[in-house]
Amino acid sequence: YAADIAVPRGAREAWARDIELAVPVRAPERWERVHTNLGRLIYALTRDKVALTFYPAGPAPELDHDPSPHEDFRPDCVSMLSGGLDSLAGAVMLQRTGRRPAYVMHRSGNPAVRAAQDAAVAALERHRPGGGALCAAAVAPDPRGADALAFPPPEQREASRRLRSLLFMALAAVTAEGAGVAEVFMCENGPLTTGVPLSTARAGSMSTHSTHPAALERFNAIAAALGLRARISNPFVYETKADLVRDVL
């Protein structure tokens, strides 16, 4: 996700990028088993060629942990909550059918996105208090430390953010593992999830496939190979945005 932001795309034929990443992991042999599939998933989401190398990481750092206000909440599924209408419709669907979702959210630094996320969470809590638990994560480059690399300022960063969906999937898989549940929902309307070009100018790689059924299937295969229980599905793959608005209302 950080590399996707840090490396700007070019124009026209230079839109796709070649990126090499050396990734510290605590079980290199396990990640080598999914090396090919992970590269294919990244290509499906970004149309970039990303070469991955895994090497042994040091010991896990100590993490600060604040007690959650939902310590007694026992989720039976995980659902991604982005602040958009589709994921809000998914949350409404789950709570109206008696599910107990843990909502995974990536806390963006964008004020408009954060405002939309806060409004979605407030609406859910207003209509069904205590019906879900929010698991929000702030993922951003850390400039601290002697070994930290300089990160481009906001005006020099890549705006397409194709791998934000992979970040959401990874956060959801970790949350599901911690909660001991397998069912994960990534709610997106059908025309958007299948990457139908919105205009002739957005054909090919200019149309995102961030929640395409093939991308979710490949992520599920990677999760299974890594021994994770999460299995992601999209319940709205056959619905339009208009269908979702009607159902939420």
Side-chain angles (χ1 to χ4, degrees), residues 85-111:
L85 190 147
D86 292 17
S87 64
L88 176 60
V92 171
M93 173 196 72
L94 291 171
Q95 293 200 15
R96 282 187 64 86
T97 52
R99 303 300 300 269
R100 302 187 309 280
Y103 295 120
V104 170
M105 176 183 291
H106 170 223
R107 274 299 197 182
S108 169
N110 185 314

Side-chain angles (χ1 to χ4, degrees), residues 123-142:
L124 291 170
E125 188 63 22
R126 185 166 62 251
H127 285 280
R128 292 187 180 264
L134 179 63
C135 303
V139 180
D142 189 348

Side-chain angles (χ1 to χ4, degrees), residues 38-60:
L38 187 56
R40 288 173 177 169
L41 174 59
I42 293 173
Y43 178 79
L45 297 176
T46 66
R47 289 301 186 260
D48 298 318
K49 294 180 181 178
V50 178
L52 297 168
T53 303
F54 302 106
Y55 66 92

Side-chain angles (χ1 to χ4, degrees), residues 63-73 133-136:
L63 299 178
D64 295 329
H65 173 68
D66 294 325
S68 168
H70 306 289
E71 288 287 354
D72 296 330
F73 186 83
L134 179 63
C135 303

